[in-house]
Amino acid sequence: MKSFDYIIVGAGSAGCVVANRLTADPSVSVCLIEAGGSDKSPLVKIPAGIFGLYGNKKYDYTFEGVPQRHLNNRTMMVNRGKALGGSSAINSMVYIRGNQNDYDGWESRGCKGWSYADVLPVFKKLEANQNGQSRDFHGTDGELHVTKPQDPNPVGRVFVKAGLAAGLQENTDFNADTQLGLGIYDVKQRSGQRESSYTAFVEPVLSRPNLSIMTHTEVLSLRIDGDKVTGLDAEVNGAAEQIQANREVILCAGTIVSPRILLASGIGDQAQLQALGIECKQHVPGVGENLQDHVDSMVTVRSAKSDTIGISAATLLPHIIPAPFKYWLNRKGWWTTNYVEAGGFAKTRLAEEAEPGSADADPDIQFHFTPLYRSHRGKKFEYGHGYSVFTCVLRPRSAGTVKLANDGTRRNVLIDHNFFADERDQKVLVEGVKKAREILASPEFDHLRGEEMAPGKHIQTDEEILEYLRDTTTTVYHPVGTCKMGIDEMAVVNPETLKVKGMQNLRVMDASVMPTLISGNTSAPSMLVGEKGAQMILSENA
């Protein structure tokens, strides 16, 4: 039986940071386990390869959620990364930390040590900023390269300028003193290639003899003796294997898989476990509860102009055929795009009317602008040109669950986002669609003007927009919260140690510990969790 001091389950945004920090001590052995495989594919490395990753079962878990009762009983795919780097190997590479009040809100919920003043130095430590942005907010000596897109499509700048029509100034740094405004996003890239958590934190230390990496390894359950984890049961390339933990097991498997492993191991709500025929080892009723995610909408416009990214006769010679040569020779051209090069944050009418200084008065919607036509019919590709704005609810009040399916496998999960359960979320997104339309109505877009294919000009009233949203909204792939930290009875981990309640040597360090969803993309905040968690372990052993 293989034996290690520390076993880290999940080589994603958080797990790779933890592996880097723990293996800096040559006296301990660390095993980093990943259910997926290599990240060496050009689809992963080249930014524009994103289109070949979502829904690709080699790199994506392709979970499917349960029917959403507030969205006309639709189901939706829940894309999560399954490769070295986890979801940071398949995401859009946008570098956003969230709003300062998000972290202060965590502290106010009993998460001591997680205020904005506490986390800012940690973000700076992780970052190798290439943009010359303020040292008050950014670090330059970390491992994670943060830069601007190599060769952004000019239509992204049109979107930024159009924001003035909606009262939104240009914002050159969403991670500084304010989120409000539109701009070109910072991205996690190095030399025009994707910078995942794996390439930033693990690849540079592969020569450390105390680091072992196991890929194609699915963790089925933990082996528990009283209040200690002694190891785990896994399948390596389909073959059963046991792995022993001498010190600790650290779950970094993400918001869907971390609670799945806990529940399969008998850690969760006692009544629910008994109903599944699973012996309850620790009664922790919050496991799998509190699922939160950004619910998202789309406004998409057809255009006869070929200024945007798209397949047409007009773009064949200047862009499509030369793209690989431009990319390999000088990291220019269409292969450099992450598609959501521009975007930003805005306040709807609801935020404007909220009490000044309160969290509700912060920007409550985020835009992801894509300089290409996104199909109103759900197709992955559409011939021709256009542009699209995706708008999401930043701080949703609706919460769902991740539960084990009652099928005897202990592997399958029921993912219920419970989107739109809270009426406030519905109102915010309706207002968000109206705000997106307001931006696109700017004269800046006159030279690209075309037909709005979705929602479509026939959908105008709040009631019509809401019904459109019920038929079309999706997730932005930012799930958090299912193993939340805190001090209330539904908390799963202690915020000062990230240890699971009742367990001595079992911790969770990933987005699932976030008690509330941060206002933005969740990859960088997940790395924050990994860094802070690793320091908790190191300080205990100092």
Side-chain angles (χ1 to χ4, degrees):
M1 182 190 301
K2 294 179 180 177
S3 175
F4 302 93
D5 292 324
Y6 296 98
I7 300 174
I8 304 166
V9 182
S13 292
C16 289
V17 177
V18 179
N20 177 294
R21 302 310 190 229
L22 295 186
T23 55
D25 178 358
S27 69
V28 300
S29 59
V30 177
C31 180
L32 179 62
I33 293 177
E34 171 55 42
S38 169
D39 69 332
K40 299 305 181 187
S41 168
L43 292 176
V44 175
K45 299 298 185 184
I46 298 169
I50 297 168
F51 263 128
L53 295 173
Y54 286 113
N56 183 334
K57 290 184 179 295
K58 184 175 180 180
Y59 303 102
D60 183 353
Y61 275 101
T62 63
F63 295 114
E64 185 174 0
V66 303
Q68 295 296 285
R69 58 186 177 277
H70 305 291
L71 301 180
N72 294 332
N73 288 316
R74 288 188 297 116
T75 62
M76 59 186 70
M77 188 175 291
V78 183
N79 304 97
R80 308 309 300 150
K82 191 178 184 182
L84 291 170
S87 292
S88 73
I90 71 169
N91 66 11
S92 296
M93 295 158 274
V94 176
Y95 181 78
I96 292 289
R97 299 172 181 170
N99 192 291
Q100 299 180 18
N101 285 335
D102 295 335
Y103 300 100
D104 290 338
W106 290 1
E107 185 178 56
S108 71
R109 288 174 171 82
C111 297
K112 183 180 178 182
W114 292 89
S115 71
Y116 182 72
D118 293 316
V119 303
L120 179 58
V122 183
F123 277 122
K124 292 167 69 174
K125 176 185 177 182
L126 293 168
E127 184 184 7
N129 187 279
Q130 308 295 302
N131 297 326
Q133 291 165 321
S134 171
R135 293 290 187 95
D136 292 341
F137 298 97
H138 295 278
T140 57
D141 300 325
E143 294 92 344
L144 183 71
H145 277 62
V146 175
T147 186
K148 292 293 184 184
Q150 288 284 112
D151 191 12
N153 185 280
V155 179
R157 297 294 315 170
V158 174
F159 176 74
V160 175
K161 291 179 181 178
L164 293 173
L168 294 168
Q169 298 290 327
E170 180 174 1
N171 190 334
T172 60
D173 187 356
F174 297 113
N175 298 302
D177 55 352
T178 181
Q179 286 188 310
L180 193 62
L182 305 183
I184 303 299
Y185 280 130
D186 289 351
V187 292
K188 303 187 296 294
Q189 294 180 8
R190 186 192 307 222
S191 301
Q193 290 190 324
R194 173 189 295 277
E195 178 88 305
S196 71
S197 191
Y198 177 77
T199 61
F201 297 99
V202 173
E203 227 172 35
V205 300
L206 285 175
S207 60
R208 290 178 180 173
N210 60 336
L211 173 62
S212 298
I213 298 176
M214 297 178 65
T215 55
H216 302 291
T217 302
E218 182 180 7
V219 174
L220 303 179
S221 61
L222 308 172
R223 302 179 72 83
I224 297 174
D225 183 5
D227 61 358
K228 287 189 175 181
V229 176
T230 60
L232 50 82
D233 292 313
E235 283 186 356
V236 184
N237 290 308
E241 189 165 329
Q242 292 182 9
I243 307 170
Q244 180 176 313
N246 300 325
R247 293 194 182 183
E248 296 193 19
V249 170
I250 303 148
L251 295 183
C252 301
T255 297
I256 307 301
V257 179
S258 283
R260 197 276 297 164
I261 293 172
L262 290 177
L263 293 168
S265 308
I267 299 176
D269 180 79
Q270 184 173 17
Q272 291 183 21
L273 291 172
Q274 288 177 344
L276 295 169
I278 299 173
E279 179 187 355
C280 182
K281 302 293 181 65
Q282 291 289 345
H283 175 58
V284 187
V287 174
E289 302 293 322
N290 192 48
L291 173 64
Q292 299 167 48
D293 201 346
H294 289 133
V295 62
D296 194 53
S297 68
M298 178 180 73
V299 177
T300 188
V301 178
R302 278 279 198 194
S303 175
K305 297 295 182 69
S306 60
D307 301 49
T308 60
I309 297 171
I311 299 174
S312 68
T315 56
L316 192 63
L317 290 177
H319 296 293
I320 297 173
I321 293 176
F325 303 100
K326 288 181 178 180
Y327 181 79
W328 293 117
L329 290 174
N330 58 7
R331 295 294 195 260
K332 297 292 184 181
W334 281 6
W335 279 21
T336 67
T337 187
N338 66 327
Y339 302 105
V340 286
E341 297 166 339
F345 300 83
K347 295 183 180 185
T348 68
R349 174 182 56 81
L350 300 171
E352 296 284 2
E353 295 172 353
E355 181 182 348
S358 69
D360 286 340
D362 287 329
D364 55 350
I365 53 173
Q366 180 180 5
F367 300 117
H368 293 89
F369 177 79
T370 58
L372 74 161
Y373 179 70
R374 293 299 295 270
S375 175
H376 65 290
R377 297 177 285 197
K379 291 185 177 180
K380 204 162 190 178
F381 288 103
E382 287 265 4
Y383 184 85
H385 294 270
Y387 44 92
S388 310
V389 183
F390 294 84
T391 309
C392 70
V393 178
L394 275 181
R395 289 178 302 282
R397 296 185 179 183
S398 304
T401 57
V402 173
K403 298 178 183 284
L404 280 182
N406 192 8
D407 59 6
T409 66
R410 302 193 188 186
R411 299 182 190 221
N412 297 322
V413 288
L414 303 173
I415 304 169
D416 183 4
H417 282 94
N418 201 23
F419 281 141
F420 274 7
D422 192 296
E423 190 177 340
R424 169 90 178 194
D425 297 345
Q426 302 175 22
K427 292 178 178 178
V428 170
L429 200 51
V430 167
E431 294 296 323
V433 169
K434 288 152 65 171
K435 183 69 74 172
R437 282 174 154 176
E438 185 179 356
I439 296 170
L440 296 183
S442 163
E444 295 289 342
F445 276 99
D446 282 352
H447 68 294
L448 298 169
R449 192 72 58 200
E451 182 182 357
E452 181 188 283
M453 304 299 291
K457 62 183 180 181
H458 61 289
I459 294 177
Q460 294 295 330
T461 68
D462 287 5
E463 292 75 16
E464 290 168 343
I465 295 173
L466 179 57
E467 192 55 35
Y468 163 75
L469 294 175
R470 289 192 178 113
D471 285 336
T472 61
T473 51
T474 61
T475 162
V476 183
Y477 323 120
H478 298 157
V480 308
T482 52
C483 300
K484 77 168 186 175
M485 58 181 170
I487 56 175
D488 62 286
E489 65 178 12
M490 294 303 288
V492 175
V493 299
N494 183 316
E496 297 184 55
T497 63
L498 297 184
K499 288 183 179 178
V500 174
K501 280 184 177 180
M503 300 298 294
Q504 286 194 36
N505 64 339
L506 174 62
R507 307 189 203 229
V508 182
M509 299 179 187
D510 56 32
S512 71
V513 307
M514 299 180 189
T516 57
L517 185 54
I518 63 103
S519 305
N521 310 70
T522 49
S523 181
S526 297
M527 295 178 195
L528 161 81
V529 172
E531 175 68 28
K532 281 184 66 69
Q535 296 310 314
M536 292 171 185
I537 294 175
L538 295 173
S539 63
E540 281 187 23
N541 297 332

